[in-house]
Amino acid sequence: QDRRLIMADGTLKVGTITTSSGSGTITLGQSGETISIGSGVTNNVGFVNYGASAYMSGTQVIGTGAATKVSLNAEYYDENSEFDTSTNRYTASETGKYYIFGGVGENGQTGTSVIWTPYIYKNGSELIRGSQTTDYAVSYWFPVGGLITTLNATDYIELYIFHNKGSNATINGDSNTILTILRIA
């Protein structure tokens, strides 16, 4: 028995759409067509908010002359358990477009013409960097990122820092040293 009701304007009114077998794929539309969802309509499929924001609690000593992975051992949020504080790494569980931002704070190191370079690495290689030269014993914050890039499932993101002070330097934790990744599409 056919329970469809097709209105004069071509509207199909049904209560439920399902496959004849009760499982499988339902295709709406064809290539080149657009499916519109009316304003005010809610759905239970929606966009899943993937992403995390991790930070360093405490401080970390950074050796001179080499990029060092930043210890991000705490989280502000982690929607789908994608950030691993034991490896200091965010691993995407879904392919999509992601907004990535980070920054490192240092605690007033002395030195003249000290170059600080924060990096965001993707899959073990540099994705983007920032750089700043410091001359005074005041606290600085070194941002990096603010980019949108495609991450595939299993791609991973890490935060690194480099300085050329000539001796060890200390970076600060809490809101000063952070890595934030958010899926936007």
Side-chain angles (χ1 to χ4, degrees):
Q1 175 178 340
D2 189 355
R3 296 183 184 203
R4 295 178 295 167
L5 175 60
I6 300 178
M7 307 299 287
D9 67 357
T11 303
L12 172 64
K13 294 188 175 187
V14 297
T16 302
I17 298 174
T18 186
T19 62
S20 58
S21 66
S23 64
T25 301
I26 296 174
T27 303
L28 299 175
Q30 299 177 52
S31 178
E33 294 179 338
T34 300
I35 297 187
S36 298
I37 298 175
S39 64
V41 174
T42 59
N43 68 66
N44 63 357
V45 177
F47 181 79
V48 177
N49 187 22
Y50 291 93
S53 185
Y55 66 96
M56 180 178 63
S57 65
T59 60
Q60 181 180 351
V61 175
I62 305 296
T64 189
T68 302
K69 190 190 306 190
V70 176
S71 175
L72 300 166
N73 58 351
E75 296 174 331
Y76 287 116
Y77 72 90
D78 187 355
E79 295 295 327
N80 294 290
S81 301
E82 294 170 304
F83 194 89
D84 184 346
T85 56
S86 67
T87 62
N88 306 300
R89 176 184 289 178
Y90 174 85
T91 303
S93 60
E94 291 288 329
T95 297
K97 299 282 187 204
Y98 288 78
Y99 172 77
I100 302 172
F101 177 79
V104 176
E106 64 90 16
N107 65 355
Q109 304 292 308
T110 59
T112 303
S113 298
V114 178
I115 298 171
W116 287 85
T117 306
Y119 300 88
I120 291 178
Y121 279 29
K122 176 183 175 183
N123 299 331
S125 298
E126 179 184 329
L127 176 63
I128 190 170
R129 75 169 84 177
S131 190
Q132 184 174 342
T133 302
T134 62
D135 287 322
Y136 306 102
V138 297
S139 295
Y140 286 89
W141 188 66
F142 311 112
V144 62
L147 79 149
I148 296 171
T149 190
T150 298
L151 295 181
N152 295 313
T154 73
D155 282 348
Y156 62 92
I157 300 294
E158 300 165 306
L159 180 64
Y160 279 76
I161 187 72
F162 165 91
H163 72 84
N164 69 345
K165 181 182 171 192
S167 60
N168 290 345
T170 303
I171 59 175
N172 294 334
D174 299 324
S175 61
N176 291 321
T177 300
I178 188 169
L179 177 63
T180 299
I181 299 107
L182 182 62
R183 181 177 166 209
I184 59 171

